[in-house]
Amino acid sequence: MQEQISASKPKDALSLRDLVADARIRAMLGLGFSSGIPFLLVYVTQSAWLSEAKVPLGILGLMSELTLAYKFKFVWAPFLDQYDAPLFSRLLGRRRGWIVVSQIGVTLALAGVAFGNPAHWLAWTVVFSLALGFAGATQDIVIDGWRITVAPAERAGLMSSWSEIGWRIGNLVSGAGVLYLADAYGWRAAYLCMAACMAPGMIAALAAPEPPSDLKAHAAAGNIIETIIAPIKELVTRLGPMGIPILLLVAGFRMPGYVSSAMAMPLFKHLHYSDSDIATVTKIFGFWVALGGTFLAGLVITRIGLMATLIIGTVFASASHLALAYLAAHGGHGHEFWLFATTVSIDSFAYAFASIVLITYMSTLTATEYAASQYALLTSLCALPGSFLAGTSGFLIERLGFTNFFVATALIGAPVAVLAVYVWRKHLRERVQAPA
């Protein structure tokens, strides 16, 4: 167990030469970009549109649950490993076939949202947003499966690095890009442009090499329940007595962030910041701030170890919500731009730092033969508690106000930090007691 928890330095450098020379790396950049497009458009960026449409705060909080597909993707992930996509897998292979099918689904769902009007027909927006969440979550699953199986171990670091770069660019486009477009041309045009932005990912999928078939992974299971349960059973058995605290740590680690982020955009609109100002601060500034948090997290992990960095990450991420509480108390009416930029940047930096640490930790917990399914399971476990709690966030703000709400989300991180210390100490004790 301890071997999995220990952090190691990456064996590969992030090289432009690799991007040019290796078709897998080039494809990974494009696929990472398309993976970064849908998630914000399901709710986070869309919440600005919903706020402008005068959707009540209570309903707005409930609509954060539109991203539930991302939390339950472990349910159908094993079947995407097991079965071919209709028609496209015959032409492109199993992995690439599912990637293209999911990308087509994302494109159609974005167009569906575009032709809705939440101010007059909210149900239309809800239905197509749910479809967008399902298609986007499926795209993440199959891209992760392709990434894990297409490259040898020595290329894994490079694949992950270029995937992260592509994802952040896609996230920037679906965040800042949509807000700028909405300010200039309206929300319908903005969402249709995002549908068109899926084209580079489709081209990358068509140009990508198909990984060799893994006969062991794709052997016919014959039992639907067994197909779903097998990755879970292997993970719990391997973790042993430490399974419960480790899984609780994964489940609680990002809970404060999920609850806080559900009401961040409504806070900015409540304080009368324009869509352009929000895009500039959260996406343009945020893009570089998040890269800084990403690089710092990798550096700190290699210097002090993964578990120690995990504790720092949960404390830092939760405490950063106090910056949003300060903004709620002192910002407003579109003024105090630099206060807005500073407080949001603190929160964004902490979020990126904590996310990279958690991704690294969850990656160490997966078994090679179940890597895609178990990683989907862990990311779902990470997201579910916070997502359910985020559904109540609008009602909590109606009672507490924005300032007290963000103070409360900071306090949620305290028991999670205590649990992280407990898990770390147990790992240290196992290391000491382990035979040479």
Side-chain angles (χ1 to χ4, degrees), residues 30 33-34 37 103 107 193-206:
F33 174 80
S34 67
I37 293 289
Q103 289 172 334
T107 302
C193 284
M194 292 304 102
C197 282
M198 291 299 295
M202 292 185 186
I203 294 171
L206 294 173

Side-chain angles (χ1 to χ4, degrees), residues 23 51 93 128 154 194 268 281 321 359 399 412:
S51 296
F128 278 97
E154 62 271 15
M194 292 304 102
F268 306 152
V281 170
H321 300 165
I359 288 169
R399 289 180 173 271
I412 294 174

Side-chain angles (χ1 to χ4, degrees), residues 180 276-287 289 337 340-342 344-345 348:
Y180 286 130
S276 295
D277 282 346
I278 294 171
T280 299
V281 170
T282 63
K283 306 306 176 184
I284 303 300
F285 287 2
F287 177 78
V289 166
F337 177 82
F340 178 40
T342 301
V344 173
S345 294
S348 297

Side-chain angles (χ1 to χ4, degrees), residues 196-424:
C197 282
M198 291 299 295
M202 292 185 186
I203 294 171
L206 294 173
E210 174 70 10
S213 176
D214 186 340
L215 296 178
K216 179 180 178 181
H218 303 313
N223 186 317
I224 293 177
I225 301 300
E226 183 180 344
T227 301
I228 298 173
I229 294 299
I232 303 173
K233 182 178 179 181
E234 192 282 336
L235 177 64
V236 173
T237 302
R238 177 164 43 82
L239 292 180
M242 284 299 294
I244 292 178
I246 287 174
L247 295 178
L248 283 175
L249 176 58
V250 170
F253 191 86
R254 291 305 300 142
M255 184 187 296
Y258 275 103
V259 178
S260 172
S261 62
M263 285 291 113
M265 187 68 75
L267 169 65
F268 306 152
K269 300 301 290 186
H270 173 75
L271 296 175
H272 304 289
Y273 292 106
S274 70
D275 287 342
S276 295
D277 282 346
I278 294 171
T280 299
V281 170
T282 63
K283 306 306 176 184
I284 303 300
F285 287 2
F287 177 78
W288 300 106
V289 166
L291 281 183
T294 299
F295 287 123
L296 181 62
L299 177 63
V300 174
I301 288 171
T302 60
R303 294 295 177 88
I304 68 173
L306 178 55
M307 293 306 299
T309 312
L310 197 71
I311 296 169
I312 294 172
T314 189
V315 173
F316 185 24
S318 298
S320 70
H321 300 165
L322 297 176
L324 293 176
Y326 186 86
L327 177 66
H330 298 281
H333 303 291
H335 303 304
E336 308 285 354
F337 177 82
W338 287 108
L339 171 64
F340 178 40
T342 301
T343 55
V344 173
S345 294
I346 290 171
D347 186 65
S348 297
F349 187 90
Y351 186 93
F353 183 96
S355 295
I356 294 302
V357 178
L358 182 62
I359 288 169
T360 305
Y361 182 64
M362 291 191 300
S363 297
T364 67
L365 298 176
T366 61
T368 303
E369 62 270 27
Y370 294 112
S373 296
Q374 288 181 352
Y375 191 80
L377 170 66
L378 290 170
T379 55
S380 296
L381 179 63
C382 166
L384 271 172
S387 175
F388 283 130
L389 195 56
T392 67
S393 57
F395 299 109
L396 289 173
I397 286 177
E398 288 177 343
R399 289 180 173 271
L400 301 175
F402 280 105
T403 301
N404 291 333
F405 170 80
F406 287 110
V407 171
T409 62
L411 295 176
I412 294 174
V416 181
V418 172
L419 181 58
V421 171
Y422 170 78
V423 172
W424 183 28

Side-chain angles (χ1 to χ4, degrees), residues 37-50 106-107 109-115 125 129 132 174 178 181-182 186-197:
I37 293 289
F39 181 76
L40 293 181
L41 299 174
V42 177
Y43 172 74
V44 179
T45 303
Q46 186 180 210
S47 64
W49 187 2
L50 300 173
V106 169
T107 302
L110 285 170
V113 174
F115 285 101
T125 299
S129 295
L132 177 59
S174 65
V178 166
L181 286 168
W187 285 101
R188 176 171 296 178
Y191 266 76
L192 289 175
C193 284
M194 292 304 102
C197 282

